[in-house]
Amino acid sequence: GQQLNQSPQSMFIQEGEDVSMNCTSSSIFNTWLWYKQEPGEGPVLLIALYKAGELTSNGRLTAQFGITRKDSFLNISASIPSDVGIYFCAGQLRNNDMRFGAGTRLTVKP
Amino acid sequence: EAQVTQNPRYLITVTGKKLTVTCSQNMNHEYMSWYRQDPGLGLRQIYYSMNVEVTDKGDVPEGYKVSRKEKRNFPLILESPSPNQTSLYFCASSPPRGVSYNSPLHFGNGTRLTVT
């Protein structure tokens, strides 16, 4: 199946710093999504992107759907300790089929 | 409360002993799916179901079975579990695309399976 390359694999940052992570693919997706997973829980949707070029914000989070429909990035501004977790990108096809990146593990030091 | 419920949350079993992980959603979603999560590999799809009595293989279906006899339930069956099926499993559901653009997946809280 289509593969998503997510980077970086992990990040260790200081509270207050900005964070950036991205996903690329050799395939085109109709929708890009970003999920966050906290320990002991399932992934929770953060942002969904439905159009190429779309830039969407959710509080301190901003994500963009790449023009080529093969990539997306997620930025977190002014990180706080509760931002800790694993962030997954996902590309969704027309039939609801979804492919996930390997995840970015974020650690925020107070 | 709208949710996807998996049971059990934790399971330790031995090689070859059949087991079933249940998944139930109360959102009347047509689409349901099973994923396994392994370190460094993200979430890989095992099986999915577009609606009742319709199931299809995902990327890693070997060693698993599913059934979709009713809309709310989508159990995952391991007929003869092996150690390489030790993993964290997630069930997810969503409305079908076309009903609404807002059809991202809703996940359960996971089932951690250990096969010895």
Side-chain angles (χ1 to χ4, degrees):
Chain A
Q2 295 88 344
Q3 298 297 315
L4 298 189
N5 299 307
Q6 184 173 350
S7 64
Q9 286 187 342
S10 61
M11 302 182 73
F12 296 83
I13 63 169
Q14 205 72 38
E15 182 177 0
E17 290 183 1
D18 296 343
V19 173
S20 185
M21 59 191 79
N22 70 81
C23 252
T24 61
S25 172
S26 58
S27 303
I28 291 174
F29 290 98
N30 293 301
T31 302
W32 280 93
L33 307 106
W34 287 91
Y35 286 83
K36 179 187 178 186
Q37 184 182 20
E38 298 188 12
E41 297 182 8
V44 174
L45 181 69
L46 297 174
I47 291 180
L49 302 155
Y50 299 107
K51 295 180 183 177
E54 179 181 353
L55 183 72
T56 296
S57 293
N58 178 6
R60 292 178 296 105
L61 278 59
T62 301
Q64 184 158 29
F65 191 144
I67 288 290
T68 63
R69 295 166 64 192
K70 294 182 179 181
D71 64 300
S72 177
F73 72 75
L74 174 70
N75 289 340
I76 305 173
S77 63
S79 59
I80 59 178
S82 62
D83 289 335
V84 164
I86 304 176
Y87 292 79
F88 290 101
C89 64
Q92 192 172 28
L93 301 169
R94 287 192 182 281
N95 61 355
N96 263 25
D97 194 14
M98 192 175 288
R99 294 288 180 265
F100 287 85
T104 295
R105 184 179 294 274
L106 178 63
T107 302
V108 180
K109 292 177 283 187
Chain B
E1 179 188 354
Q3 59 187 6
V4 179
T5 304
Q6 295 178 228
N7 279 297
R9 291 294 309 274
Y10 301 92
L11 180 58
I12 301 174
T13 189
V14 296
T15 298
K17 186 177 181 181
K18 181 180 178 180
L19 66 91
T20 299
V21 183
T22 64
C23 174
S24 180
Q25 51 92 5
N26 61 2
M27 295 168 281
N28 203 34
H29 286 166
E30 281 82 0
Y31 182 91
M32 297 186 74
S33 182
W34 276 102
Y35 292 85
R36 60 177 288 173
Q37 182 179 9
D38 301 289
L41 296 176
L43 291 148
R44 293 180 293 166
Q45 190 177 50
I46 302 171
Y47 269 93
Y48 65 96
S49 170
M50 299 294 285
N51 213 326
V52 176
E53 300 291 2
V54 180
T55 63
D56 281 294
K57 296 178 180 179
D59 291 325
V60 288
E62 294 78 20
Y64 304 95
K65 284 174 57 178
V66 292
S67 71
R68 189 87 183 277
K69 292 185 171 59
E70 48 192 341
K71 184 181 278 191
R72 64 181 293 124
N73 295 323
F74 190 44
L76 179 69
I77 303 154
L78 284 72
E79 294 272 4
S80 183
S82 61
N84 64 12
Q85 292 178 298
T86 293
S87 186
L88 179 59
Y89 291 86
F90 287 101
C91 180
S93 72
S94 75
R97 187 170 180 82
V99 173
S100 163
Y101 277 112
N102 290 322
S103 60
L105 289 172
H106 299 258
F107 284 88
N109 281 333
T111 296
R112 186 166 291 282
L113 172 66
T114 302
V115 184
T116 61

